[in-house]
Amino acid sequence: SAVFEDMLSARTRELAVEGQVIVQDPRFFSVLMLPDTNQDAQLRATVTGVADEFHQITASELFEVVGARNRTLGTVGRVSVTPESRKALVRSALAGRAVTGVLIDKNRHYLVSATPVTVGGRIVGALLLGEGIGRDLALKLRDLTHSEVTFLCGRKVTGTTLGSGAEAA
């Protein structure tokens, strides 16, 4: 368990550092200074375009930009999460606190960093970066511990090093 905790801790730190670097880049935070109206497709397209540039660097599975009013302005990762599942993390980020944690969405666990985007002392949004806790992590953990690994979310297997059939049963 110590190896698993160390792996999660290291990846959490990486996500937090990546988030801090991105939100301090003027190309990123400047788009969140644009007026946010509920019907502004151009704003969402602009945020998504800029977010995609940064996503090319991080390649994180989850990459979402949330406005100051807790609306999703851009999602460029392979997955997106529901506003309900990310609520606590985003609330903390929009209150000015960078946080990390495990988020559960659609029967899957994600290791997530939520970073406030601040301009001139004013919070203009939040950045969520995350990675799924699944097969890739299970394989890395197996290599380090020489043990078979299975992750569950409720009763659903979200990642395993076991094969199918009798071995997994």
Side-chain angles (χ1 to χ4, degrees), residues 82-118:
T82 64
E84 183 61 30
S85 67
R86 70 175 193 219
K87 180 173 54 178
L89 292 168
V90 170
R91 185 179 324 131
S92 292
L94 292 177
R97 294 182 308 277
V99 293
T100 58
V102 174
L103 181 149
I104 301 171
D105 187 72
K106 301 173 191 143
N107 293 320
R108 189 142 182 244
H109 292 99
Y110 296 92
L111 191 59
V112 177
S113 168
T115 309
V117 182
T118 307

Side-chain angles (χ1 to χ4, degrees), residues 6-124:
D6 287 346
M7 287 176 68
L8 290 183
S9 178
R11 185 59 184 137
T12 300
R13 281 191 305 273
E14 289 172 11
L15 290 168
V17 168
E18 289 170 354
Q20 286 295 328
V21 170
I22 291 169
V23 302
Q24 292 177 23
D25 191 300
R27 291 176 300 146
F28 184 80
F29 68 71
S30 63
V31 298
L32 293 178
M33 295 172 57
L34 299 170
D36 177 12
T37 64
N38 287 336
Q39 303 299 319
D40 198 346
Q42 185 174 359
L43 172 63
R44 288 192 307 279
T46 301
V47 170
T48 299
V50 170
D52 192 49
E53 291 178 30
F54 287 95
H55 181 252
Q56 297 301 318
I57 298 166
T58 68
S60 60
E61 191 172 5
L62 173 67
F63 192 114
E64 291 192 2
V65 181
V66 179
R69 293 189 287 171
N70 197 7
R71 279 190 336 112
T72 303
L73 298 178
T75 299
V76 295
R78 291 186 309 274
V79 298
S80 62
V81 294
T82 64
E84 183 61 30
S85 67
R86 70 175 193 219
K87 180 173 54 178
L89 292 168
V90 170
R91 185 179 324 131
S92 292
L94 292 177
R97 294 182 308 277
V99 293
T100 58
V102 174
L103 181 149
I104 301 171
D105 187 72
K106 301 173 191 143
N107 293 320
R108 189 142 182 244
H109 292 99
Y110 296 92
L111 191 59
V112 177
S113 168
T115 309
V117 182
T118 307
V119 178
R122 183 173 61 102
I123 297 170
V124 295

